[in-house]
Amino acid sequence: DGGTFRDSVYITQMNCNCQAFIPNAFSPNGDLLNDVFRVDIPCAYSDFLIQIFDRWGNRVFSGLSTEAVWDGLQNGRPCDVGTYFYYLRYQGVRGERFEKKGDLALIR
């Protein structure tokens, strides 16, 4: 009854902004500027999948980590200039699941 008490709280900061950066264009022309299509995720993630399709629905690229980058080639041959479509799936550090779909431009 009556007296002085103390307690401590420890706070750990986590990067919870697990939104992927997905470029909308790239130019695989060998000038070392935007030569590859790469997804960047600023947090820990798991269950990553990126797939890229041409306008006819043919898959031209697939990767299982952000280390996988598309260089604009399919079976060793340059893909046509134009619009491509991506499907991205990954799981964030707190277990939240993300799915994104969109388009990107391949320019030379």
Side-chain angles (χ1 to χ4, degrees):
D1 293 329
T4 304
F5 299 93
R6 277 196 174 158
D7 197 358
S8 298
V9 175
Y10 295 97
I11 299 173
T12 303
Q13 182 178 357
M14 291 176 45
N15 183 355
C16 296
N17 180 14
C18 206
Q19 296 299 313
F21 171 74
I22 307 164
N24 60 2
F26 78 116
S27 59
N29 57 9
D31 67 357
L32 302 179
L33 299 171
N34 301 313
D35 279 338
V36 295
F37 176 81
R38 171 190 335 255
V39 174
D40 182 39
I41 302 176
C43 63
Y45 65 88
S46 62
D47 193 28
F48 181 94
L49 173 67
I50 180 77
Q51 295 180 317
I52 300 175
F53 301 89
D54 64 18
R55 63 184 173 190
W56 295 283
N58 300 310
R59 188 174 63 207
V60 297
F61 175 79
S62 183
L64 296 175
S65 80
T66 57
E67 300 300 315
V69 297
W70 183 37
D71 57 5
L73 300 177
Q74 181 184 21
N75 299 324
R77 298 178 55 207
C79 291
D80 293 334
V81 169
T83 302
Y84 291 80
F85 305 91
Y86 67 83
Y87 169 75
L88 173 65
R89 179 194 74 209
Y90 63 99
Q91 184 170 326
V93 68
R94 288 192 254 157
E96 64 272 36
R97 298 197 56 78
F98 296 90
E99 281 189 296
K100 299 187 179 291
K101 299 174 185 177
D103 59 83
L104 65 125
L106 187 156
I107 54 180
R108 296 206 193 268

